[in-house]
């Protein structure tokens, strides 16, 4: 079942085109990622889905409803975490949850959310005293307080340290496991690869590709690689002449070999047969990162 | 009272500076001057000056300082935007703020009157209906001034700066620093048309037992409506 349908979405701010003909569908129960560099139109796209912005052209349907015309019907069913949103510094964690639960017709018990999101021991802490990770967990809890069918999370883990980011991923998976559809806006490849069932890659306001992370990697048709360090220099033709090898790159003692088939076996046999001693040998499968660079063109700066 | 209003009130009371400038300072003013002039008897017009000026001080702080900085802060922090994604529209936050502000205005005014009359022998306002009408108009016009600051100011710094400037100009021309009768004529004339000046003059009149001059009530009413309409047109939620 499709819960979000976006078709031919256009949005411009003055002269600048933020979103240019973006179309995608989100199925019930999946984690759908919107991935792209800063300024690619990710946030504008979700803001149109949230009903905060009016598209210049195109249609947006969420749970079969129009996010602006049917806002009153839709808002109780969609939870939102906005990029760069805060709360009053003196509002306590439990008060924020209690307050937001009063906005919804059928709120979940906020005490359970406190426990679920590891905020129980920060129950009485004012918002201004929370760490970045705790703030984000509180915002996710607030997004879930109305018992939504869909949650939209915009740059959930930006600004978090790596540990807090990983902890947050587990929580996002738990949302999905509870049957809630998740739309996740991110510019972290690793996050998208780890969490998303399907991904839309956007660049400069346009859709580059929509696929599963594996599908995107396959689509980029990237070769696996073998890397190692050579203790002494060797004739690289040794590897170049192998049928499995498509490319060899040597930088100092670091060697990177790309190719297909049983690349690792071919490389190690050739090296061993010629008494070349190597260290730190490992194979690398192409990641979403590589696929992204291949698909978007590598011009854009992505962390 | 909705939960939103309750929390807005709680947040207000958690800000010591807000409570000081809106309630404690005005009360302190009648205490200080009450102790100095001991207004137990007599009909010196100066006796209506101190309590009226004290109430005006609290109202002006609420309307020109706290209301706009809070609202602009909420807008800057994305709190109003976040509300827009819930079933409750962000205009409710504004409503709650106005409600909390009105409540604090009443608390401040009642405290000033009670402390002044019970503690220091100031007269009660002699013409209560006139006093009440003036007070309501004063709240409306000063809150409308706060809303227009909140509507126009691009950020919190500008909002609090504009609020402070407007506040000082208002109390200087409005006869809060010095009684209007000892101000130069041109300043009094300007003051008569400013919200704070009109409020102080009308309050003093009602305190002394007269009906305020229509021009003072009209100045407040017209300014309140004009600013409210303008701010409703210009207010940005994000």
């Amino acid at each position: 079942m499709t819960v979000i349908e976006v078709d031919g979405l256009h949005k411009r701010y003055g002269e600048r085109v933020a979103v240019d003909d973006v179309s995608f569908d989100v199925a019930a129960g999946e984690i759908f990622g919107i991935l792209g560099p800063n300024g690619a139109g990710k946030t504008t796209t979700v803001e149109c889905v949230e009903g905060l912005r009016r598209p210049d052209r195109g249609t947006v349907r969420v749970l079969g409803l129009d996010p602006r015309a049917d806002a009153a019907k839709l808002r109780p069913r969609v939870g939102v975490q906005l990029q760069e949103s805060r709360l009053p510094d003196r509002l306590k964690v439990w008060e924020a949850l209690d307050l937001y639960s009063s906005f919804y017709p059928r709120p979940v018990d906020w005490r359970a959310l406190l426990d679920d999101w590891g905020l129980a021991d920060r129950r009485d802490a004012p918002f201004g005293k929370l760490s970045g990770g705790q703030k984000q967990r509180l915002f996710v809890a607030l997004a879930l307080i109305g018992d939504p069918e869909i949650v939209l999370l915009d740059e959930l883990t930006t600004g978090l340290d790596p540990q807090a980011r990983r902890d947050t991923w587990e929580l996002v998976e738990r949302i999905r496991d509870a049957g809630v559809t998740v739309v996740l806006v991110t510019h972290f490849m690793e996050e998208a690869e780890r969490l998303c069932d399907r991904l839309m890659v956007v660049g400069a306001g346009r859709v580059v590709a929509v696929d599963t992370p594996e599908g995107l990697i396959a689509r980029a048709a990237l070769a696996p690689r073998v890397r190692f360090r050579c203790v002494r220099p060797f004739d690289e033709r040794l590897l170049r002449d192998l049928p499995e090898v498509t490319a060899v790159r040597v930088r100092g003692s670091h060697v990177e070999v790309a190719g297909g088939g049983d690349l690792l076996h071919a490389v190690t046999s050739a090296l061993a047969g010629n008494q070349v001693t190597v260290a730190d040998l490992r194979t690398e499968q192409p990641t979403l990162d590589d696929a992204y660079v291949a698909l978007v063109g590598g011009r854009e700066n992505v962390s | 009272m909705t939960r939103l209003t309750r929390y807005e009130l709680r947040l207000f009371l958690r800000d010591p500076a807000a409570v000081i400038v809106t309630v404690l300072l005005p009360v302190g003013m009648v205490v200080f001057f009450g102790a100095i002039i001991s207004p137990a008897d007599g009909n010196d017009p100066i006796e209506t000056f101190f309590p009226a000026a004290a109430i005006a001080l609290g109202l002006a702080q609420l309307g020109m300082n706290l209301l706009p900085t809070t609202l602009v802060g909420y807008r800057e922090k994305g709190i109003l935007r976040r509300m827009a994604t819930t079933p409750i529209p962000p205009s409710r936050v504004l409503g709650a703020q106005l409600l909390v502000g009105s409540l604090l205005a009443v608390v401040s005014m009642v405290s000033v009157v009670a402390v002044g009359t019970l503690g220091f022998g100031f007269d009660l306002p002699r013409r209560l209906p006139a006093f009440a009408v003036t007070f309501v108009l004063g709240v409306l016009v000063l809150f409308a001034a706060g809303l227009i600051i909140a509507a126009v100011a691009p950020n919190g710094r500008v909002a609090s700066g504009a609020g402070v400037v407007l506040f000082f100009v208002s109390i200087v021309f409005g006869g809060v620093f010095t009684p209007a009768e000892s101000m130069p004529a041109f300043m009094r004339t300007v003051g008569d048309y400013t919200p704070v000046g009109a409020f102080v003059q009308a309050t003093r009149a009602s305190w002394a037992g007269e009906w305020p001059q229509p021009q003072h009530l009209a100045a407040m009413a017209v300014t309140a409506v004009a600013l409210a309409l303008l701010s409703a047109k210009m207010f940005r939620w994000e």
Side-chain angles (χ1 to χ4, degrees):
Chain A
M1 194 182 75
T2 303
V3 291
I4 299 175
E5 291 173 80
V6 174
D7 190 28
L9 182 69
H10 281 262
K11 181 74 192 175
R12 61 163 69 224
Y13 302 118
E15 286 296 291
R16 199 174 66 82
V17 177
V19 174
D20 188 10
D21 196 21
V22 164
S23 305
F24 62 96
D25 292 336
V26 178
E30 70 175 341
I31 300 182
F32 184 85
I34 300 180
L35 180 70
N38 295 329
K42 306 186 296 291
T43 294
T44 301
T45 302
V46 288
E47 283 174 343
C48 290
V49 173
E50 286 156 357
L52 289 176
R53 294 198 188 281
R54 187 189 303 282
D56 295 331
R57 258 183 295 144
T59 57
V60 179
R61 303 298 269 179
V62 179
L63 297 167
L65 300 166
D66 181 313
R68 289 188 74 87
D70 307 319
K73 280 189 203 138
L74 208 47
R75 289 203 171 117
R77 302 171 67 185
V78 179
V80 170
Q81 172 256 325
L82 294 177
Q83 193 182 348
E84 286 175 13
S85 170
R86 284 176 285 167
L87 288 170
D89 281 343
R90 290 190 171 91
L91 193 65
K92 293 175 185 171
V93 168
W94 77 266
E95 293 174 334
L97 291 162
D98 182 44
L99 174 62
Y100 272 69
S101 67
S102 75
F103 297 165
Y104 291 89
R106 286 171 289 99
V108 297
D109 182 7
W110 56 260
R111 289 161 199 87
L113 283 176
L114 268 183
D115 290 328
D116 287 354
W117 293 83
L119 291 164
D121 56 331
R122 301 295 280 158
R123 188 182 185 278
D124 294 318
F127 177 77
K129 296 261 191 271
L130 298 179
S131 72
Q134 289 165 346
K135 283 178 182 167
Q136 290 302 61
R137 292 210 298 274
L138 175 57
F139 282 126
V140 177
L142 291 177
L144 294 172
I145 203 147
D147 197 15
E149 293 157 60
I150 301 172
V151 288
L152 301 152
L153 307 174
D154 192 353
E155 301 271 355
L156 182 62
T157 61
T158 301
L160 298 188
D161 61 64
Q163 184 58 50
R165 183 172 300 144
R166 277 172 179 72
D167 293 344
T168 310
W169 293 348
E170 277 173 31
L171 299 171
V172 173
E173 282 172 336
R174 268 169 46 194
I175 301 175
R176 190 249 328 259
D177 295 345
V180 179
T181 307
V182 179
V183 175
L184 183 78
V185 174
T186 184
H187 62 267
F188 291 111
M189 296 299 152
E190 202 190 343
E191 179 167 306
E193 188 168 359
R194 153 82 195 269
L195 281 180
C196 297
D197 298 307
R198 286 190 314 130
L199 273 172
M200 172 170 73
V201 178
V202 290
R206 300 189 137 262
V207 180
V208 176
V210 183
D211 209 332
T212 60
E214 300 73 28
L216 286 172
I217 294 166
R219 197 185 282 219
L222 296 163
R225 284 183 301 253
V226 172
R227 284 177 196 275
F228 57 88
R229 275 187 317 110
C230 54
V231 178
R232 272 183 300 279
F234 69 101
D235 184 358
E236 55 187 85
R237 264 179 310 181
L238 204 69
L239 298 175
R240 234 183 261 285
D241 292 344
L242 293 170
E244 289 89 350
V245 171
T246 53
V248 178
R249 215 165 58 183
V250 182
R251 253 179 304 172
S253 64
H254 291 272
V255 182
E256 184 184 306
V257 187
D262 196 351
L263 182 66
L264 179 63
H265 183 251
V267 169
T268 47
S269 323
L271 293 170
N274 291 278
Q275 279 88 42
V276 179
T277 317
V278 301
D280 301 339
L281 181 99
R282 61 203 154 93
T283 50
E284 277 179 2
Q285 292 304 315
T287 61
L288 186 59
D289 224 358
D290 304 317
Y292 179 89
V293 171
L295 289 169
V296 177
R299 319 174 292 281
E300 279 148 312
N301 175 28
V302 173
S303 47
Chain B
M1 196 156 56
T2 64
R3 220 177 293 182
L4 180 60
T5 313
R6 237 172 35 226
Y7 278 118
E8 291 298 334
L9 178 61
R10 231 185 252 192
L11 288 171
F12 185 97
L13 296 177
R14 270 183 205 157
D15 180 2
V19 178
I20 288 170
V21 297
T22 56
V23 181
L24 297 186
L25 211 65
V27 170
M29 191 170 157
V30 280
V31 169
F32 184 73
F33 289 104
I36 291 177
I37 64 165
S38 347
D41 45 35
N43 282 322
D44 193 323
I46 196 73
E47 288 186 18
T48 62
F49 165 68
F50 292 114
I55 294 170
L57 202 65
L59 277 192
Q61 284 289 4
L62 270 172
M64 294 174 168
N65 175 8
L66 294 168
L67 181 65
T69 49
T70 307
L71 287 177
V72 173
Y74 282 7
R75 179 169 63 214
E76 268 186 316
K77 289 181 175 175
I79 292 170
L80 300 179
R81 248 167 89 71
R82 178 63 182 81
M83 284 272 305
T85 68
T86 74
I88 301 297
S91 54
R92 296 277 185 89
V93 179
L94 203 151
Q97 276 291 319
L98 294 177
L99 214 58
V100 168
S102 308
L103 185 72
L104 264 295
V106 170
V107 168
S108 169
M109 178 271 285
V110 169
S111 312
V112 165
V113 173
V115 171
T117 54
L118 298 178
F120 299 93
F122 283 106
D123 285 334
L124 274 173
R126 288 210 189 121
R127 201 171 280 267
L128 270 178
F131 179 78
V133 167
T134 303
F135 182 74
V136 169
L137 283 176
V139 169
L140 291 177
V141 72
L142 286 164
F143 285 14
L147 289 180
I148 195 77
I149 296 173
V152 178
N155 59 51
R157 283 213 324 267
V158 174
S160 68
V164 166
V165 170
L166 215 58
F167 174 78
F168 277 105
V169 171
S170 292
I171 63 171
V172 168
F173 282 88
V176 175
F177 258 173
T178 45
E181 52 271 26
S182 44
M183 291 186 342
F186 93 92
M187 279 180 74
R188 275 176 74 170
T189 313
V190 173
D192 280 343
Y193 293 98
T194 65
V196 172
F199 173 75
V200 172
Q201 294 304 82
T203 302
R204 291 181 67 186
S206 67
W207 219 299
E210 299 150 29
W211 265 96
Q213 292 177 33
Q215 77 173 83
H216 291 141
L217 298 182
M220 285 192 279
V222 169
T223 315
V225 170
L227 293 181
L229 288 177
L230 205 60
S231 56
K233 230 179 152 56
M234 298 175 70
F235 197 86
R236 293 171 300 111
W237 298 99
E238 55 184 79

